[in-house]
Amino acid sequence: MLKSSLKHSGRRAFLRGAGGAALALPLLEYTHGHAWAADGESALRFLTVFTHGGTISNMNKTTRYDGTGAQHGEDLWRPADPSSEALVLGPIHQPLEAWRDKLVVIEGIDNKSAISQDQYGLGAHGISNGSVLTAQSVTETGGASLAQGPSIDHVLAQRLAARQPVPFDAIHLKVAGHQYGTPYFSGSQQAVSGESSPKAAFNAIFDGVSGGQPDPEIVLRNTKRGSVLDGLMEGYGSFHGRVSARDRHVIEAHLDHLAALEQQLQDPVICNPPQGIEADGGPGDVVGPLMADIIVAAIRCGLTNVANLEIADILTPWTSAGALEGNLGLDFAIGHALHHQARDIGPTGPLSALYDDWMAYTLENRRWRMSLIARLLEGLDDPDFMEGDATVLDNSLLLCTSEFSNGSRHSAWNLPVLLAGGAGGVLPTGRFITYNQHAQGNPQTLQYTSDESIHNLYTSILQAFGESDGHFGNDAAQHQGPLPGLLG
Amino acid sequence: METNGRERAPLRGAGVLAMAALLTTGCYDGLSSFAGADDDGETAGPHGDSHDGGDDSGEPAGCDGGAPMAAPRPLRRLSPAQYQNTMRDLLGDPGFVAEYDATEPLITERAVRQLRDGAELALGRRAEWTNPVFPCDIEGPSDDACAEALIASLAPRAFRRPLVDEEQQWLEGVYLDARAELGFTDSMEVLAATVLQAPALLYLGEEGTAVVDAPQTLRRLTDHELASRLSYFLWDTMPDDALRQTADAGELHTDEGLRAQTERMLEDPRARGRLARLLWSWMQLDGGMLHFSLEEADKRADLYPEYGPALQEAMRIELEAFVDDVLQGDASFERLMTSTRAYVNGPLAALYGVEGGSAGEDEWAWVELPATQRAGVLTRAAFLSVFSNTAAQSPIRRGTFTLEEVLCFPLGDPPPDVDDTPIDGGEQPGGSEVLTVREATEARTGEAACRGCHSVINPVGYAFEHYDAIGRWQDEELVSGLPVDASGLLQGSDVDGPVHGAVELSQTLAGSAQVRACFAERWLEEALGGELGALDECARDRVVDAFTASGDMRELVTAIVLSDGFRHVNLAEGE
């Protein structure tokens, strides 16, 4: 016989409360702006664009290649005029020219976690991927490189969700292809996988979101989902008590995700979802722009505070230089092979004849990645969608980086770092900052030394969001604290 | 982890245990470490049998007569294939196709959402179900007894064991809570969806029962837990009725019961499919960290005009048919490594230079390949095409695979600054000389920093020089036009010495105890769900001994299943 009393009747309300219910969610239409919050406090958002495989860089460790040997000698990420503190965008950043005044390019950020862990003092694939956003050491087991702590986006997502409740703490979208492991972690050993299907991403994020009154069928479905989730949370809670101590973290991770799904079942968000996101995959030139559109819409609809766009190390036959791909003779038709050629196209390298084609092709490849950032910035900086006096971009901070500077050298020294947006006014923009100690007064130097690491960069980012952290990551940094002179 | 088939194949492990201890950083420390000394100062060869001596990790001295041993391993979650098969079998819905694709060690939010969607999709397809899952018409009048009946019928099958009281109460509560705010139909769906996403369905929770005279954490699997392990190992799905009934009767944990069920299950085509997938995964033909899958392995159209999707598909069909033929026959490892029997269509017959059926793509026939040119899987077009460049063969890729995956010889990662542009031979920069692939490989890897590994890798790879980038026999290279030299050398193994050509290499490997030990270890790791630990050494030794003696892959599976490691769980925090 079933027991007639509803012994679990209080559980649902409790769990929903724990998951972040009782929220006064904003009524937003992402196509027609409204201020996000009524109380005058602007919401802050954090975005990352992670581009796998490094950039066009001549970095080694403490020196740059001068372009007389087998390696090329170019750094096309660097500003065109590195002596100017006012930002003069370099070749790769040209697609971002319209937002130059809202950008900061930073030189001299090392991934000292990876450098200290790599036997060659450079970076290495798995180690660099696992540490670049976490500033942690990395364990390599069974082919996976797993960080021993969460990445900066996850930490910020949790902090921001606590003060700006949203259905999704963070969203994570991906242009899929070759890469050596995710840089995103929600905790020690816990890799986060992005969604690589625009259609699946749209279905998950805009599920139940509509421009008018919610569909009663959706309301019923969500009630059932809530019921199932309540049941599962209790079931996984009991299971947690039965597995051995060493496996409890596995079930705790599962419970966390059930709670996240519960959180996403809050009162329906009224907002016009973006239209026409139907591709279930496809080449980067199809997937990338759709993912950028989803991110913009999700932020403008108030569905999330944090968005990650991960771009794998892919070839880009669709760019204006795409036809050159055939000339390069890439035996391993992935971006990895492309940047490995970098060390052979210098004047004494075996592929010196390919120099012009390689530079032209790779530059457009990297510019295409920037075009996705341009699409994000355009949507976030929309003057028809103001939050008070500021655009969403002004209240956001976007970080673009990679696991390497010079991919061909696997160098985690002097990583490419680009920031965009004002973080609510605390980040002075339109600047180039170098932390290379040799570059003061000598911007063209080939010598390189910096005391700054991703640890310091992420500490600065936390502080930009009003957090009081004095340090982020492990103890591999030269010093604790933020980057000097970054925040206003 | 990224997808697109470029992951490391799942069958990667520690290799020979003694080797893992000796060569933690691979051969890039130089050849000297091949003859390194272990912690006890005892000298061991690169593939020495030092596992016989045990180690200092607290392992009991002998393998015979002592308490059973098994290393602790993390809780396992159903793989995407296992989840899909389980849902199909549970509901009787062979058309169910899941979106679930999570392979990360810890589950992700995306995967938990996929499981939610999977359960909803399954429930939406209930018109397709052939199993009587719902005991009543859930569109009909409210009937609490039907919920009870559903709990009694569906949950034990889904959890692959009888429910514990706590689970019974839990599921009753789920239904009652749902009923408080939903109608009967919806509440029944909520209950079923909860079962379909329950931890006992998704995770292979193993609590075991106490073993006399063994450490408290070392427990014998219950009959039902053993049934799950067996079924997921042999079939990649949940136990069928016969296996479940054996477990219900408490007869599975005996040697006789376990052997009988294993033999029965090995006769089922599902076992053949599963073992074929193990072999496929071992050969990494679905891609690896540094090579493409067969379908993604492009070739230069000017050199290989016949190569394309149709030929790739034919190569895959050929290898699958060959593997299935071996498994359906005597499952002999030697045959896998040396047989000349091949299933070919017209284009493949042309590639192999044999007469076979008609010249059509759709007409297939079994033929014998020339015994002077072919022997077993390592000489088939699929393998040779994947482990090649676009223009020419790659002795480095072929040699590396043979060492790492066939001989369990860990090489480690190459240094970061190696020039890894393809070596195709032919005219060299400057136009001064024309080199074979072999000569160009020697030139590229001639520096002292390279020799540590490449003096071992290259001579193994050179044995394959007679096969071009699509696996066709060549006496002269396509690119250089020069005659090939397929003389090779095996080093650091139990079958060291010169080998000429891949036929001789394959025959030598087929007779190597080290190769069989390596193969057996990889399958044991797959069965146990992770790399082997010190406490698995007894199980490993027995499995290796059995396979070395028989060379029968079905015997290997049986030995694995009957081993202590397969029948026990160690709940300790770590070794």
Side-chain angles (χ1 to χ4, degrees):
Chain A
M1 277 292 292
L2 291 182
K3 297 175 188 66
S4 56
S5 69
L6 297 181
K7 61 188 170 56
H8 300 290
S9 57
R11 185 184 65 215
R12 175 99 187 261
F14 168 75
L15 290 172
R16 292 275 227 135
L23 306 174
L25 271 183
L27 301 186
L28 276 183
E29 290 197 44
Y30 98 99
T31 49
H32 306 92
H34 298 270
W36 192 89
D39 60 5
E41 276 290 303
S42 292
L44 297 175
R45 286 76 166 216
F46 180 58
L47 299 93
T48 68
V49 176
F50 190 85
T51 84
H52 282 270
T55 188
I56 302 176
S57 163
N58 58 344
M59 278 302 298
N60 185 12
K61 291 173 162 180
T62 57
T63 54
R64 290 171 178 274
Y65 292 101
D66 63 4
T68 62
Q71 269 268 358
H72 72 74
E74 296 293 331
D75 185 340
L76 300 188
W77 176 275
R78 220 177 177 207
D81 179 2
S83 65
S84 162
E85 192 182 336
L87 186 57
V88 184
L89 292 176
I92 287 175
H93 294 136
Q94 288 308 311
L96 306 177
E97 181 60 34
W99 296 278
R100 177 167 44 87
D101 292 343
K102 298 193 176 187
L103 307 179
V104 181
V105 173
I106 307 178
E107 180 177 74
I109 307 296
D110 298 336
N111 177 353
K112 293 193 191 290
S113 289
I115 291 167
S116 63
Q117 204 181 337
D118 174 31
Q119 60 176 323
Y120 300 101
L122 277 160
H125 277 300
I127 292 169
S128 293
N129 286 50
S131 57
V132 60
L133 294 179
T134 62
Q136 293 285 350
S137 54
V138 172
T139 54
E140 299 198 284
T141 47
S145 304
L146 299 174
Q148 292 178 353
S151 48
I152 178 66
D153 59 292
H154 182 78
V155 172
L156 257 178
Q158 292 202 308
R159 307 268 185 99
L160 290 177
R163 55 194 219 218
Q164 303 167 187
V166 277
F168 293 84
D169 286 1
I171 60 174
H172 189 155
L173 311 182
K174 183 162 73 173
V175 179
H178 179 79
Q179 64 181 60
Y180 282 94
T182 181
Y184 294 97
F185 291 84
S186 59
S188 179
Q189 313 283 308
Q190 186 157 14
V192 177
S193 54
E195 179 56 67
S196 57
S197 155
K199 185 180 175 185
F202 175 82
N203 288 343
I205 296 165
F206 291 92
D207 184 39
V209 175
S210 66
Q213 281 308 305
D215 181 342
E217 275 189 34
I218 298 286
V219 173
L220 172 62
R221 190 207 60 188
N222 283 357
T223 303
K224 289 162 71 175
R225 282 184 174 176
S227 236
V228 173
L229 284 168
D230 289 349
L232 289 176
M233 287 171 85
E234 184 182 341
Y236 277 84
S238 301
F239 192 70
H240 179 263
R242 294 209 303 276
V243 300
S244 73
R246 66 158 194 264
D247 290 324
R248 293 206 179 114
H249 70 288
V250 174
I251 303 306
E252 282 157 17
H254 203 122
L255 278 163
D256 283 349
H257 301 320
L258 291 170
L261 261 58
E262 179 105 20
Q263 182 181 327
Q264 291 154 24
L265 280 184
Q266 296 163 56
D267 300 333
V269 172
I270 298 179
C271 184
N272 283 326
Q275 301 295 307
I277 301 195
E278 277 148 24
D280 203 12
D285 61 331
V286 171
V287 170
L290 293 177
M291 292 307 201
D293 292 350
I294 290 172
I295 287 173
V296 168
I299 287 177
R300 285 168 58 154
C301 280
L303 293 165
T304 190
N305 301 314
V306 173
N308 300 314
L309 177 61
E310 188 176 358
I311 306 170
D313 199 4
I314 55 172
L315 296 178
T316 48
W318 52 79
T319 71
S320 61
L324 300 175
E325 192 174 300
N327 301 353
L328 297 174
L330 296 168
D331 203 55
F332 197 29
I334 54 174
H336 183 253
L338 181 73
H339 66 63
H340 268 222
Q341 289 187 335
R343 60 183 173 222
D344 296 312
I345 59 167
T348 67
L351 304 178
S352 58
L354 296 181
Y355 182 90
D356 289 343
D357 286 350
W358 187 92
M359 276 294 165
Y361 183 90
T362 313
L363 177 57
E364 289 308 317
N365 176 285
R366 268 27 189 193
R367 278 180 173 161
W368 175 77
R369 298 176 179 198
M370 291 303 122
S371 78
L372 297 183
I373 295 181
R375 202 169 174 109
L376 289 172
L377 298 185
E378 184 171 14
L380 299 176
D381 207 31
D382 184 349
D384 295 330
F385 191 98
M386 301 296 284
E387 298 182 319
D389 296 335
T391 65
V392 177
L393 179 61
D394 296 332
N395 291 327
S396 302
L397 180 63
L398 180 149
L399 163 71
C400 173
T401 189
S402 181
E403 78 274 28
F404 296 136
S405 49
N406 183 351
S408 77
R409 190 72 181 129
H410 300 168
S411 175
W413 299 71
N414 190 16
L415 294 178
V417 176
L418 169 77
L419 301 179
V426 301
L427 177 68
T429 51
R431 292 189 295 158
F432 170 61
I433 305 172
T434 180
Y435 294 104
N436 179 8
Q437 294 163 11
H438 303 280
Q440 314 299 336
N442 184 16
Q444 301 301 340
T445 179
L446 296 171
Q447 300 303 305
Y448 175 83
T449 305
S450 171
D451 288 343
E452 306 305 324
S453 178
I454 51 173
H455 303 70
N456 312 103
L457 172 64
Y458 302 151
T459 305
S460 287
I461 289 175
L462 284 169
Q463 294 185 357
F465 284 88
E467 301 291 322
S468 58
D469 303 58
H471 185 64
F472 184 86
N474 67 6
D475 59 2
Q478 207 98 353
H479 70 91
Q480 298 217 335
L483 293 174
L486 178 65
L487 301 180
Chain B
M1 294 279 291
E2 181 57 20
T3 53
N4 289 11
R6 303 209 181 93
E7 300 308 321
R8 284 175 190 269
L11 276 178
R12 292 186 70 90
V16 178
L17 294 170
M19 280 301 294
L22 281 170
L23 291 177
T24 49
T25 57
C27 55
Y28 286 91
D29 285 349
L31 271 169
S32 59
S33 57
F34 287 178
D38 66 16
D39 291 341
D40 301 320
E42 191 182 330
T43 301
H47 301 281
D49 292 325
S50 60
H51 59 265
D52 287 334
D55 59 23
D56 53 6
S57 64
E59 175 203 341
C63 291
D64 293 306
M69 284 182 276
R73 288 205 164 65
L75 177 67
R76 276 198 272 180
R77 190 174 79 237
L78 298 191
S79 71
Q82 290 172 341
Y83 167 74
Q84 171 154 303
N85 293 338
T86 299
M87 293 285 279
R88 288 176 171 187
D89 290 351
L90 183 62
L91 305 171
D93 182 2
F96 174 80
V97 178
E99 294 282 340
Y100 178 69
D101 60 5
T103 55
E104 296 86 352
L106 286 182
I107 200 162
T108 62
E109 181 182 322
R110 175 168 176 270
V112 172
R113 189 179 292 113
Q114 287 176 332
L115 291 167
R116 177 199 70 193
D117 294 345
E120 290 180 0
L121 174 70
L123 286 167
R125 290 175 53 86
R126 62 175 174 265
E128 314 293 325
W129 297 352
T130 57
N131 290 353
V133 174
F134 285 120
C136 66
D137 176 10
I138 66 167
E139 314 279 349
S142 180
D143 177 7
D144 288 354
C146 183
E148 262 190 294
L150 181 67
I151 294 169
S153 62
L154 178 64
R157 290 188 68 232
F159 301 175
R160 306 174 290 270
R161 57 167 170 74
L163 301 193
V164 297
D165 289 348
E166 185 182 62
E167 289 168 329
Q168 177 77 29
Q169 288 158 15
W170 164 52
L171 291 173
E172 288 173 4
V174 166
Y175 170 74
L176 289 172
D177 279 4
R179 205 62 191 86
E181 57 180 341
L182 292 164
F184 173 66
T185 310
D186 292 328
S187 298
M188 289 297 282
E189 287 189 359
V190 164
L191 176 58
T194 305
V195 172
L196 295 179
Q197 298 170 71
L201 181 145
L202 186 65
Y203 292 91
L204 293 170
E206 293 171 335
E207 297 173 47
T209 60
V211 179
V212 181
D213 292 337
Q216 205 178 358
T217 55
L218 193 284
R219 297 168 71 82
R220 178 171 68 73
L221 293 182
T222 67
D223 279 62
H224 291 101
E225 289 164 351
L226 185 57
S228 283
R229 260 205 202 181
L230 185 62
S231 190
Y232 284 108
F233 175 44
L234 293 186
W235 285 354
D236 255 348
T237 191
M238 60 185 277
D240 66 353
D241 288 342
L243 180 58
R244 190 168 47 251
Q245 283 155 13
T246 308
D248 287 344
E251 291 166 0
L252 189 61
H253 72 277
T254 65
D255 285 358
E256 305 75 47
L258 186 53
R259 185 182 289 274
Q261 282 300 314
T262 304
E263 284 170 4
R264 176 185 73 87
M265 293 173 75
L266 280 171
E267 291 303 311
D268 189 286
R270 281 179 288 192
R272 234 162 49 229
R274 166 76 173 135
L275 299 186
R277 283 194 296 282
L278 278 177
L279 285 169
W280 203 257
S281 147
W282 170 61
M283 299 187 72
Q284 301 181 2
L285 300 186
D286 288 325
M289 282 300 268
L290 282 174
H291 66 267
F292 279 127
S293 69
L294 177 58
E295 284 68 22
E296 295 168 309
D298 291 336
K299 303 296 168 191
R300 258 175 57 184
D302 57 329
L303 296 172
Y304 304 99
E306 66 272 68
Y307 185 85
L311 192 60
Q312 288 167 337
E313 191 189 353
M315 290 175 177
R316 186 176 276 268
I317 290 170
E318 184 231 323
L319 201 65
E320 283 176 344
F322 174 64
V323 164
D324 192 61
D325 186 55
V326 171
L327 291 171
Q328 213 169 353
D330 55 8
S332 150
F333 181 69
E334 186 172 358
R335 232 156 51 82
L336 182 78
M337 296 296 287
T338 61
S339 171
T340 55
R341 191 167 147 78
Y343 188 61
V344 298
N345 64 358
L348 267 183
L351 186 149
Y352 285 124
V354 293
E355 303 289 324
S358 85
E361 279 188 3
D362 299 326
E363 293 183 46
W364 292 80
W366 284 101
V367 297
E368 292 294 329
L369 302 179
T372 53
Q373 297 184 0
R374 308 283 166 175
V377 286
L378 299 184
T379 61
R380 300 303 169 98
F383 172 79
L384 295 164
S385 297
V386 165
F387 291 91
S388 283
N389 297 325
T390 60
Q393 74 273 14
S394 172
I396 294 178
R397 290 181 197 275
R398 293 168 178 179
T400 300
F401 175 87
T402 306
L403 285 165
E404 288 195 324
E405 306 303 327
V406 183
L407 285 155
C408 284
F409 187 113
L411 291 167
D413 296 325
D417 53 352
V418 295
D419 174 2
D420 60 0
T421 53
I423 302 173
D424 295 333
E427 193 173 313
Q428 298 303 293
S432 55
E433 51 183 351
V434 177
L435 300 180
T436 62
V437 169
R438 179 175 185 143
E439 290 163 344
T441 302
E442 285 298 295
R444 176 77 65 82
T445 58
E447 287 176 31
C450 307
R451 297 311 294 168
C453 286
H454 282 279
S455 63
V456 182
I457 296 170
N458 299 358
V460 178
Y462 294 149
F464 295 96
E465 288 297 87
H466 271 297
Y467 311 101
D468 68 16
I470 64 171
R472 202 170 36 195
W473 183 266
Q474 59 180 3
D475 289 314
E476 285 94 33
E477 291 183 342
L478 268 183
V479 174
S480 71
L482 297 170
V484 302
D485 173 2
S487 55
L489 180 65
L490 268 169
Q491 302 163 83
S493 75
D494 64 336
V495 284
D496 281 1
V499 286
H500 193 91
V503 169
E504 192 183 328
L505 174 68
S506 291
Q507 287 164 346
T508 303
L509 294 172
S512 155
Q514 181 179 323
V515 167
R516 291 188 187 195
C518 174
F519 193 83
E521 268 182 25
R522 295 292 160 96
W523 281 31
L524 182 60
E525 287 170 355
E526 183 74 18
L528 298 181
E531 295 179 359
L532 303 183
L535 290 173
D536 295 316
E537 282 203 41
C538 291
R540 178 223 172 257
D541 287 353
R542 286 186 184 164
V543 166
V544 164
D545 288 348
F547 185 58
T548 306
S550 75
D552 179 332
M553 290 182 274
R554 279 191 305 242
E555 276 297 311
L556 169 60
V557 167
T558 307
I560 287 171
V561 166
L562 290 171
S563 72
D564 278 352
F566 193 81
R567 297 159 81 169
H568 292 82
V569 59
N570 188 338
L571 299 175
E573 287 280 339
E575 281 196 54

